[in-house]
């Protein structure tokens, strides 16, 4: 019996069938797909042009012409939400990309090398984890100026140690496994083994973590743009829309309702997808007693 | 009336039938052995008696214990029964105890729950019980935590918990499978004496016929959830009337046909190990103290001739796997030299080791863990071809894989499959195919049959012997199982606390061990023939 | 045990030291001239020169770093440039809002989440479990500042039960205390709820994980009823991952106050640092960040000690 309880890789072939039977996964996939489709469609078509301000139509309620109403400058909220989705998704994806791109090689290297390299990486991780993430993101965007790019960097930096940690833990549980020993006995070096055996087998862990960080990235981006540190006007963003709505809550609560719902639904979809993926890819059979 | 009567017990989980029409009865004071290979439903039978089945399990039939119908008994009644009238010991001592509670608390808990005794009384009883299982308070105070005990000691605590209230029936589910032979013998002795002193009945579940033959008055043989044979142990196992019983008994004492043993000093040795030592640093106790280390392998010297099979036997933790790893150049010795085909290994880099690795391959114990689950058999078996100076093209590679698979008794078409599509025994064949694809001279096999059922084990041992004859392979066979060593090896080395304490021809070492550790090992090893002879002798005397 | 705590303490101090380097270099070295950042692009050369001298910018970087470091060690965090008062005094004043807020939120979230998590685990697979976890799943997805806005709309604008924002201090006597708590109630709830959702999920899965362990079966084989086993053997083992998340959450709550204090116009630490950043009052930013980092390091230390209390394996080894 193997001692490690972290995880055991599963072959891909069962995965598809299991995934299609998993409710979380399906619902999450549909929601995420719809949000992504909405963002894509917004490149070609939105119900209204949001660069044209129509003060006469400001703060309208729900109607057939404007299903989600209009904001304080008369812009169609549905169109704003559609375009805002681009921003949220782009920031979160690139931030996850930064985290994976830097974190996974670092974590895999630390696990393969061990010794001082490993120790050093973990200590650096500790230091990064000691910073309150949001505060530091605020600090970075404030020093280097607000904007989507700096928001991405600020969120991305905090993804690096997360992925490094996951990759390292996964890799460490694989290195003593017999199939890795067999590869070493076949004369394969650390790099080759990492590429051929370690990374493919921790891919599922990273995928699950990726969806979680994606969801967190969307929340963080909304927070930063709410504070005015994310994407700058006239580019609409969900967080900024909520900021604009706040002072008008008493008069037009629907201004705050829909951007908020957009965030909740997107994050919910991603979390469901992540949960579903974990259930599908995590082969530990829950022993029920 | 019997103490425990199981009648027509059937059980299924979802739509999968696990047990079908099991009949089993245990009289008071009787030891019943329940034998079967993995997946035969032994453990489920035990859990059904405890009514601790998984939620999804559906049972039908009847289980009567001392007049109580267990399958229809309410949970409250079962709680009164469990731990008081029926005690249970589990297979895995390392995980069977709660890591955050002291052993005293854990033994006393059941006593307090069932008798309503106060803390002091319960602890006094727990103390006495721990003393009985060989954990006297002077060395093992009640305040010890499980992690401060070894596996064997933990199993004693589990036994103390199970026997604390002198149950009428003790169920032991593979109680010694996770322990080495010497500990196994001690734990079996302990169980036997507790059962005799307290007049308990024992349901002993085991995959090992020899263990059951030593312990049990009666035996029930299970296969695929059905009872194959039930009866008096000695009679059932000597007469072997049922074909499955015969198959099991023959497989567990199987000796493969082998070529005559080679004579010693036949030219140059293939592998020469000289004065090899391996130290592991211990974690520092404090920042100021000197770093201490533990010596896992201590000054080991031996040689292995081409075509020879050498078994390295010893208790768990004696350093045999560490030694194997150094020979495979997966770990470096702290001192000494290892020479393979005349070339020293411990000072070479990965590149220089390539020709060595090509001629020395490995087979591991775990047929599940030794393959990357994401690769097809073709890629898995072909992995060592990486060591060839000229990489074969795809066609040549497939031909080599096909040849290797056929040599281990699999079909060439199997190369398209994934490892999870094979059974444990087939996977071990794939493992061997991978090891022989570069035409090595030596295979280091680390417990290669320990995870296999006896009938599969016999087939794999035959395969090893066959490859030795056909390809002239030499083996370093690491095993804790002396039956296996006796079956395959020309030469046996006994390792104890990092040192090789005895070495010589297999027969000589295993039949007349000279040193104390070797004698302990041989005496503790369960042996079916010996156990049956003893049982028959006792029967005719008494 | 002492050795364990000392070692953790040493690691914590090293972390703090490394963090101070990062803070100092990110804020004072990377962006170029701090005086220019603080005064903006249109500052007169005289003002720039005066500020440089005041801040000691003419001195070498290493010396300035050491000065700042040893100053903090003595409790001197420097003087705020915009408030012209010592940073420590400013922080102390603002902590009177932020610390109670964070603690209230933590207490609320723990009080809701742990019972819910245990309950859901105990009824694993039944409708009540599914419902609780469905709600938790939604709770995790709610941004706290949006939730805060909804709370304000319902309880302040609609029902007029609680103030919509602002904080007039703790006052005197019970009534003053009540006024303070009332002002912090909505902010605390909006901070706590999403955290409670996370914590409930972690508690449940930790419990389920533990309930599948072999020693739970051993305890059941002793004859203990399921419920007793859950409390006696399950809970303490499940606390280990829950503690980890609790520690992380405190850090998150401290930082989360930045947004929530902005929603409710609360004069807390988060608002102080946010304003200091937008006014480029670097010395305040540095001081507050270091204090928060220190708080987080301290919390991690406490979590580590709690681990050792819960798990005897950690006491003896390492």
């Amino acid at each position: 019996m193997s001692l490690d309880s972290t995880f055991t890789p599963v072959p891909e072939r069962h995965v598809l069938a299991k995934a299609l039977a998993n409710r979380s996964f399906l619902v999450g996939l549909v929601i995420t797909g719809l949000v992504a489709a909405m963002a894509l469609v917004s490149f070609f078509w939105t119900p209204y042009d949001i660069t044209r301000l129509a003060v006469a139509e400001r703060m309208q309620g729900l109607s057939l012409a404007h299903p989600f109403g209009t904001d304080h400058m008369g812009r169609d909220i549905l169109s704003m939400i559609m375009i805002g989705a681009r921003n949220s998704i782009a920031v979160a994806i690139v931030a996850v990309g930064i985290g994976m791109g830097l974190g996974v090689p670092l974590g895999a290297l630390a696990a393969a090398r061990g010794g001082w390299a490993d120790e050093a990486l973990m200590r650096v991780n500790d230091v990064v984890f000691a910073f309150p993430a949001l505060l530091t993101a605020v600090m970075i965007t404030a020093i280097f100026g607000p904007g989507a790019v700096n928001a991405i960097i600020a969120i991305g930096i905090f993804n690096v140690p997360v992925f490094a940690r996951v990759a390292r833990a996964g890799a460490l549980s694989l290195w003593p496994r017999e199939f890795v020993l067999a590869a070493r006995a076949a004369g394969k070096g650390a790099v080759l083994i990492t590429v051929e055996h370690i990374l493919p087998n921790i891919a599922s862990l990273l995928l699950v973590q990726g969806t979680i960080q994606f969801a967190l990235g969307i929340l963080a981006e909304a927070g930063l743009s709410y504070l005015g540190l994310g994407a700058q006007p006239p580019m609409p963003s969900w967080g900024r829309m909520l900021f604009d709505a706040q002072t008008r809550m008493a008069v037009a609560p629907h201004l705050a309702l829909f951007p908020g719902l957009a965030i909740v639904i997107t994050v919910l979809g991603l979390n469901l997808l992540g949960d579903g993926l974990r259930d599908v890819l995590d082969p530990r059979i829950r022993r029920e007693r | 009336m019997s103490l425990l009567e199981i009648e027509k017990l059937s059980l299924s989980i979802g739509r999968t039938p696990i047990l079908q029409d099991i009949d089993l009865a245990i009289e008071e004071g009787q030891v019943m052995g329940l034998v079967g290979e993995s997946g035969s439903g032994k453990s489920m039978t035990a859990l059904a008696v405890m009514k601790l089945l998984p939620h999804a399990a559906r049972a039908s039939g009847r289980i009567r214990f001392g007049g109580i119908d267990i399958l229809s008994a309410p949970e409250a009644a079962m709680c009164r029964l469990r731990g008081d009238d029926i005690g249970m010991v589990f297979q895995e001592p390392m995980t069977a105890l709660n890591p955050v509670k002291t052993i005293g608390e854990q033994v006393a808990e059941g006593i307090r729950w069932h008798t309503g005794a106060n803390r002091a009384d319960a602890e006094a009883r727990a103390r006495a019980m721990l003393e009985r299982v060989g954990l006297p308070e002077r060395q093992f105070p009640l305040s010890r935590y499980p992690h401060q005990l070894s596996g064997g000691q933990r199993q004693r605590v589990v036994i103390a918990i199970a026997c604390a209230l002198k149950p009428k029936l003790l169920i032991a589910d593979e109680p010694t499978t996770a322990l080495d032979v010497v500990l196994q013998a001690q734990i079996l002795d302990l169980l036997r004496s507790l059962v005799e002193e307290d007049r308990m009945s024992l349901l002993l579940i085991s995959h090992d016929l020899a263990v059951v033959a030593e312990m049990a008055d009666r035996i029930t043989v299970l296969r695929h959830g059905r009872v194959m044979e039930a009866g008096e142990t000695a009679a059932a196992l000597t007469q072997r009337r049922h074909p499955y019983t015969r198959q099991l008994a023959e497989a567990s004492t199987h000796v493969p046909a082998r070529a005559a043993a080679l004579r010693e000093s036949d030219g140059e040795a293939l592998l020469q190990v000289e004065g090899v030592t391996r130290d592991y640093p211990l974690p520092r106790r404090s920042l100021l103290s000197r770093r201490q280390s533990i010596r896992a392998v201590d000054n080991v010297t031996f040689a292995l001739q081409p075509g020879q099979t050498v078994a390295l036997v010893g208790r768990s933790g004696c350093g045999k796997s560490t030694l194997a790893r150094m020979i495979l150049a997966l770990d470096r010795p702290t001192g000494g030299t290892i020479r393979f085909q005349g070339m020293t290994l411990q000072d070479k880099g990965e590149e220089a080791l390539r020709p060595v690795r090509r001629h020395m391959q490995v087979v591991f114990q775990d047929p599940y863990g030794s393959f990357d689950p994401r690769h097809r058999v073709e890629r898995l078996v072909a992995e060592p071809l990486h060591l060839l100076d000229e990489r074969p093209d795809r066609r040549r590679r497939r031909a080599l894989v096909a040849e290797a698979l056929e040599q281990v008794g699999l079909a060439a078409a199997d190369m398209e499959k994934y490892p999870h599509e094979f059974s444990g025994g087939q996977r071990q064949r794939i493992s061997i195919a991978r090891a022989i694809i570069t035409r090595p001279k030596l295979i280091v096999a680390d417990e290669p049959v320990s995870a296999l059922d006896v009938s599969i084990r016999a087939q794999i041992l035959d395969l090893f012997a066959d490859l030795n004859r056909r390809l002239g392979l030499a083996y370093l066979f690491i095993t804790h199982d002396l039956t296996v060593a006796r079956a395959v090896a020309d030469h046996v080395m006994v390792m104890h606390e990092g040192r090789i304490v005895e070495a010589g021809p297999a027969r000589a070492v295993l039949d007349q061990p000279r040193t104390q550790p070797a004698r302990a090992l041989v005496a503790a090893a369960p042996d079916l023939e010996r156990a049956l002879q003893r049982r028959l002798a006792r029967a005719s005397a008494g | 045990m002492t050795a364990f705590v000392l070692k953790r303490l040493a690691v914590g101090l090293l972390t703090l030291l490394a963090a101070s380097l990062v803070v100092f270099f990110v804020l004072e070295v990377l962006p170029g001239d701090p005086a220019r950042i603080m005064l903006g692009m249109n500052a007169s050369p005289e003002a720039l020169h005066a500020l440089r001298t005041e801040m000691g910018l003419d001195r070498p970087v290493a010396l300035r770093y050491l000065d700042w470091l040893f100053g903090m060690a003595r409790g001197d965090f420097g003087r705020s440039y915009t408030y012209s008062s010592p940073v420590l005094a400013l922080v102390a004043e603002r902590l009177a809002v932020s610390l109670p807020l964070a603690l209230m939120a933590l207490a609320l979230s723990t009080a809701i989440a742990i019972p819910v998590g245990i309950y859901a685990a105990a009824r694993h697979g039944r409708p009540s479990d599914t419902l609780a976890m469905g709600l938790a799943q939604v709770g995790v997805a709610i941004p706290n500042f949006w939730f805060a806005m909804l709370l304000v709309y319902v309880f302040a604008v609609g029902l007029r039960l609680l103030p919509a924002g602002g904080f007039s201090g703790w006052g005197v006597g019970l009534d003053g205390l009540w006024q303070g708590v009332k002002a912090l109630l909505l902010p605390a709830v909006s901070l706590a709820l999403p955290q409670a959702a996370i914590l409930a999920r972690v508690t449940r899965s930790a419990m389920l994980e533990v309930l599948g362990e072999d020693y739970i079966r051993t305890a059941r084989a002793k004859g203990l009823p399921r419920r007793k086993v859950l409390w006696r053997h399950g809970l303490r083992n499940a606390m280990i991952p829950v503690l980890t998340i609790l520690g992380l959450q405190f850090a998150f709550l401290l930082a989360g106050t930045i947004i929530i204090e902005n929603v409710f116009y609360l004069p807390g630490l988060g608002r102080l640092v946010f304003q200091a950043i937008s006014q480029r009052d670097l010395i305040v930013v540095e001081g507050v960040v270091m204090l928060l980092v220190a708080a987080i390091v301290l919390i991690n230390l406490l979590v580590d000690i709690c681990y050792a209390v819960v798990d005897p394996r950690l006491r003896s080894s390492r």
Side-chain angles (χ1 to χ4, degrees):
Chain A
M1 199 158 289
S2 102
L3 284 175
D4 101 277
S5 57
T6 329
F7 77 104
T8 322
V10 260
E12 281 103 354
R13 301 224 286 186
H14 300 301
V15 168
L16 194 67
K18 263 171 88 182
L20 293 176
N22 186 298
R23 212 163 15 142
S24 276
F25 178 83
L26 277 183
V27 175
L29 189 69
V30 168
I31 294 179
T32 312
L34 284 178
V35 174
M38 188 170 85
L40 282 180
V41 167
S42 79
F43 280 102
F44 311 105
W45 175 82
T46 51
Y48 291 87
D49 180 2
I50 60 154
T51 55
R52 276 220 350 254
L53 308 182
V55 183
E57 291 171 26
R58 57 199 278 268
M59 299 219 278
Q60 283 183 1
L62 284 51
S63 67
L64 270 183
H66 299 284
F68 293 175
T70 58
D71 75 350
H72 60 288
M73 294 201 266
R75 293 174 294 188
D76 177 53
I77 290 186
L78 176 60
S79 308
M80 302 258 298
I81 286 179
M82 285 175 72
I83 297 178
R86 280 188 217 164
N87 184 57
S88 287
I89 291 175
V91 170
I93 281 193
V94 180
V96 168
I98 293 175
M100 275 198 184
L102 294 175
V104 173
L106 280 175
L109 177 82
R113 274 285 149 113
W116 66 266
D118 189 24
E119 190 68 17
L121 179 87
M122 292 322 286
R123 292 290 81 79
V124 171
N125 261 359
D126 281 352
V127 172
V128 181
F129 275 122
F131 281 89
L134 184 70
L135 174 60
T136 314
V138 168
M139 214 165 80
I140 291 173
T141 44
I143 299 297
F144 298 99
V149 174
N150 286 338
I152 288 174
I153 295 173
I155 300 170
I157 287 177
F158 284 92
N159 280 337
V160 175
V162 173
F163 282 103
R165 207 170 255 211
V166 172
R168 174 180 176 272
L172 276 183
S173 75
L174 289 174
W175 272 99
R177 296 284 283 270
E178 292 185 339
F179 70 81
V180 175
L181 287 180
R184 288 177 62 200
K188 292 191 172 164
V191 176
L192 202 54
I193 289 177
T194 298
V195 171
E196 283 188 8
H197 295 292
I198 306 286
L199 289 180
N201 280 300
I202 61 172
S204 59
L205 283 182
L206 296 173
L207 193 63
V208 170
Q209 194 63 43
T211 60
I212 294 171
Q213 295 308 119
F214 196 153
L216 288 177
I218 291 204
L219 282 175
E221 193 277 335
L224 283 180
S225 18
Y226 171 82
L227 290 175
L229 300 171
Q232 294 300 299
M235 180 69 189
S237 67
W238 295 344
R240 196 71 200 167
M241 289 169 78
L242 286 177
F243 178 79
D244 288 336
Q246 192 184 351
T247 47
R248 304 175 178 88
M249 277 295 274
V251 211
H254 68 273
L255 293 186
L257 187 63
F258 294 106
L261 278 180
I263 300 173
V264 173
I265 289 172
T266 309
V267 174
L268 183 65
L270 284 166
N271 282 340
L272 285 174
L273 188 66
D275 272 17
L277 276 176
R278 194 201 315 263
D279 289 347
V280 171
L281 298 173
D282 180 358
R284 275 185 301 171
I285 303 146
R286 298 233 173 274
R287 291 166 298 174
E288 292 183 45
R289 286 201 186 98
Chain B
M1 199 183 71
S2 308
L3 177 69
L4 176 75
E5 255 178 279
I6 301 179
E7 281 171 30
K8 296 218 169 303
L9 173 66
S10 294
L11 189 144
S12 56
I13 295 181
R15 293 221 188 87
T16 321
I18 305 291
L19 299 175
Q20 282 169 45
D21 295 334
I22 302 287
D23 290 322
L24 191 154
I26 304 179
E27 308 300 323
E28 267 176 49
Q30 194 181 52
V31 178
M32 166 65 83
L34 187 57
V35 190
E37 297 187 303
S38 45
S40 60
K42 316 183 287 282
S43 294
M44 279 297 164
T45 311
L47 290 175
V49 174
M50 291 295 273
K51 219 177 168 187
L52 286 175
L53 291 165
H55 289 308
R58 294 283 164 269
S60 64
R62 225 156 59 113
I63 303 178
R64 290 186 67 80
F65 176 81
I68 300 173
D69 182 357
I70 284 186
L71 288 183
S72 63
E75 181 61 19
M78 284 314 297
C79 283
R80 281 194 296 275
L81 218 54
R82 289 185 204 123
D84 195 2
D85 290 334
I86 312 179
M88 185 156 178
V89 176
F90 302 95
Q91 172 172 355
E92 207 35 82
M94 301 312 275
T95 53
L97 293 171
N98 187 339
V100 305
K101 284 184 179 275
T102 63
I103 58 173
E105 282 175 277
Q106 298 192 53
V107 178
E109 189 176 30
I111 300 174
R112 293 187 71 184
W113 169 251
H114 286 290
T115 64
N118 63 28
R119 188 185 206 97
D121 290 348
E123 278 183 359
R125 287 188 68 174
R127 200 170 288 129
M129 192 63 223
L130 283 169
E131 175 108 36
R132 280 186 76 196
V133 298
L135 299 174
E137 173 152 45
R138 278 168 293 108
Q139 289 157 274
F140 304 96
L142 297 185
S143 57
R144 284 288 177 95
Y145 284 97
H147 72 273
Q148 295 165 318
L149 304 180
S150 70
Q153 290 161 351
R154 288 189 212 193
Q155 196 64 312
R156 288 171 189 270
V157 176
V158 176
I159 291 171
I161 291 173
C163 300
L165 292 163
K166 297 195 174 34
K168 297 193 184 100
L169 173 66
L170 180 65
I171 302 176
D173 185 0
E174 303 267 12
T176 56
T177 307
L179 305 172
D180 71 39
V181 280
V182 176
L183 286 175
Q184 161 162 297
Q186 292 169 2
I187 294 291
L188 292 177
D189 277 344
L190 172 65
L191 282 175
R192 195 167 13 218
S193 65
L194 285 173
V195 163
E196 275 169 19
E197 284 165 27
D198 292 350
R199 302 274 313 134
M200 289 187 275
S201 303
L202 172 65
L203 175 61
L204 176 70
I205 296 172
S206 178
H207 67 282
D208 190 335
L209 277 188
V211 165
V212 171
E214 270 179 27
M215 297 283 294
D217 309 319
R218 296 181 67 80
I219 181 173
T220 301
V221 182
L222 280 190
R223 185 193 197 188
H224 302 324
R226 288 173 188 278
V227 174
M228 292 288 114
E229 184 173 5
E232 204 269 314
T233 308
L237 292 182
T238 42
Q239 292 159 9
R240 302 177 185 177
R241 248 170 302 192
H242 193 283
Y244 182 65
T245 311
R246 187 181 323 131
Q247 188 192 325
L248 271 185
E250 278 167 7
S252 40
T253 51
H254 179 79
V255 177
R258 285 189 300 123
L262 290 158
R263 265 170 300 283
E264 297 281 315
S265 64
D266 245 346
E268 198 199 3
L270 182 64
L271 175 74
Q272 262 181 308
V273 174
E274 273 170 35
V276 163
T277 295
R278 180 68 169 98
D279 294 334
Y280 286 108
L282 287 173
R284 251 176 256 229
R285 296 215 157 224
S286 77
L287 289 174
L288 301 174
S289 63
R290 284 240 338 259
R291 202 162 199 137
Q292 309 236 309
S293 60
I294 184 164
R295 184 151 285 191
V297 172
D298 189 1
N299 197 15
V300 164
T301 301
F302 72 90
L304 195 151
Q305 310 300 326
Q308 193 184 26
T309 301
V310 173
L312 180 61
V313 299
R315 299 182 55 179
S316 53
C318 71
K320 49 192 197 299
S321 287
T322 307
L323 180 59
R325 260 168 219 211
M326 289 189 290
I327 291 168
L328 286 164
L330 296 175
D331 189 6
R332 280 176 203 276
T334 317
T337 56
I338 299 172
R339 243 184 229 110
F340 182 76
Q341 295 179 320
M343 181 175 134
T344 55
L345 306 188
Q346 75 281 352
D347 51 356
K348 296 290 188 296
E350 209 37 68
E351 198 50 39
L353 284 172
R354 287 169 64 94
V356 174
R357 294 203 184 285
R358 193 156 60 220
H359 290 123
M360 175 160 67
Q361 279 292 312
V362 59
V363 174
F364 290 109
Q365 167 180 0
D366 182 5
Y368 297 88
S370 35
F371 301 111
D372 188 330
R374 292 177 193 281
H375 292 178
R376 281 177 207 274
V377 167
E378 176 187 347
R379 190 162 169 198
L380 294 169
V381 172
E383 188 157 46
L385 295 178
H386 177 74
L387 292 164
L388 301 185
D389 294 326
E390 249 175 276
R391 299 287 160 77
D393 61 11
R394 189 176 146 74
R395 270 200 27 219
R396 175 87 187 112
R397 197 177 71 189
R398 286 176 67 86
L400 285 171
V401 172
E403 190 190 340
L405 286 175
E406 275 157 8
Q407 272 175 333
V408 299
L410 293 171
D414 286 333
M415 75 170 83
E416 308 299 340
K417 295 189 194 161
Y418 285 91
H420 67 87
E421 296 172 61
F422 295 90
S423 67
Q426 286 173 320
R427 276 188 239 212
Q428 211 54 318
R429 287 177 191 270
I430 300 172
S431 204
I432 296 168
R434 171 172 62 188
I436 60 172
I437 197 165
T438 53
R439 304 238 161 251
K441 300 277 182 280
L442 171 66
I443 287 185
V444 178
D446 191 353
E447 303 274 9
V449 294
S450 305
L452 304 176
D453 281 325
V454 279
S455 45
I456 311 290
R457 168 184 309 195
Q459 295 166 14
I460 297 295
L461 289 179
D462 278 341
L463 175 62
F464 273 115
D466 175 53
L467 292 173
N468 165 263
R469 233 177 359 209
R470 279 194 292 146
L471 308 178
L473 276 173
Y475 297 117
L476 179 60
F477 222 93
I478 293 159
T479 178
H480 70 276
D481 187 337
L482 296 193
T483 321
V484 170
R486 193 187 293 271
V488 298
D490 308 313
H491 209 80
V492 168
M493 303 188 291
V494 180
M495 200 162 175
H496 183 71
E497 289 176 352
R499 262 183 280 230
I500 288 184
V501 291
E502 190 164 340
R507 290 260 149 216
V509 173
L510 296 176
D511 291 342
Q512 283 109 32
R514 282 168 289 117
T515 56
Q516 196 277 325
R519 273 203 296 270
L521 212 54
V522 170
D527 185 301
L528 182 57
E529 301 299 338
R530 222 168 40 190
L532 286 175
Q533 274 160 22
R534 255 192 307 222
R535 190 157 281 282
L536 288 173
R538 238 180 300 154
S540 58
Chain C
M1 185 74 187
T2 326
F4 173 80
V5 173
L6 283 178
K7 189 174 174 203
R8 294 278 117 187
L9 203 62
V11 169
L13 282 177
L14 281 178
T15 310
L16 263 184
L17 199 65
S20 74
L21 268 173
V22 173
V23 168
F24 185 81
F25 280 83
V26 167
L27 286 176
E28 295 217 2
V29 179
L30 278 187
D33 183 357
R36 185 168 287 287
I37 292 175
M38 288 172 79
L39 292 179
M41 285 300 143
N42 307 322
S44 67
E46 294 78 32
L48 267 178
H49 183 75
L51 185 64
R52 280 209 189 104
T53 328
E54 191 196 321
M55 291 174 65
L57 288 180
D58 37 359
R59 303 167 58 221
V61 173
L63 265 183
R64 272 163 49 212
Y65 169 71
L66 288 177
D67 268 358
W68 176 65
L69 195 65
F70 285 110
M72 282 195 298
R74 287 194 313 267
D76 173 14
F77 283 71
R79 279 181 80 79
S80 157
Y81 162 72
T82 44
Y83 294 86
S84 354
S85 65
V87 173
L88 203 61
L90 275 175
V91 167
E93 190 188 315
R94 302 302 185 97
L95 263 181
V97 180
S98 291
L99 197 61
L101 176 57
L103 289 177
M104 270 169 78
L106 192 69
L108 256 173
S109 124
T110 318
I112 299 170
I114 292 186
V116 169
I118 294 172
Y119 175 81
R123 331 210 97 230
H124 180 212
R126 303 206 210 154
S128 45
D129 173 32
T130 314
L131 179 72
M133 285 307 112
L135 287 177
Q137 185 70 271
V138 175
V140 173
I142 295 179
N144 53 21
F145 59 94
W146 183 61
F147 188 55
M149 287 161 67
L150 296 184
L151 286 178
V152 167
Y153 183 68
V154 174
F155 290 97
V157 179
L159 300 173
R160 297 182 180 280
L161 284 175
L162 291 163
F167 183 79
S168 47
W170 286 100
V172 275
L174 269 183
D175 188 55
L177 187 69
W178 171 236
Q179 290 306 322
V181 169
K182 251 169 86 173
L184 294 186
L185 202 56
L186 287 186
V189 170
S190 45
L191 269 175
L193 198 92
Q195 298 301 305
I198 297 175
L199 198 59
R201 283 164 56 90
V202 171
T203 307
R204 172 179 176 271
S205 63
M207 279 304 277
L208 285 181
E209 182 100 350
V210 166
L211 290 181
E213 295 284 348
D214 284 353
Y215 54 79
I216 295 294
R217 192 178 54 184
T218 310
R220 297 265 289 143
K222 279 181 210 173
L224 298 188
R226 182 182 292 277
R227 181 177 295 268
K228 271 219 154 47
V229 171
L230 188 87
W231 287 105
R232 286 200 192 160
H233 293 268
L235 198 56
R236 197 152 150 209
N237 282 291
M239 275 300 107
I240 293 167
V242 173
L243 273 173
T244 312
I245 299 297
L246 263 181
L248 287 176
Q249 289 206 328
F250 193 75
F252 191 88
L253 286 174
L254 276 177
T257 56
I258 298 184
I259 294 192
I260 287 301
E261 285 172 5
N262 266 298
V263 177
F264 289 96
Y265 307 105
L266 296 175
L269 213 52
R271 215 163 148 71
L272 173 69
V273 75
F274 185 63
Q275 281 164 349
I277 286 173
S278 43
Q279 286 159 355
R280 317 254 174 228
D281 195 349
L282 295 186
I283 194 85
V284 173
V285 180
E286 287 166 359
V288 175
V289 171
M290 282 313 295
L291 272 178
L292 288 181
V293 170
I296 290 172
V297 167
L298 189 69
I299 296 287
N300 286 341
L301 182 69
L302 288 179
V303 168
D304 279 341
I305 292 172
C306 287
Y307 281 159
V309 170
V310 170
D311 191 342
R313 285 168 293 187
L314 294 175
R315 260 175 261 163
S316 46
S317 66
R318 271 168 283 175

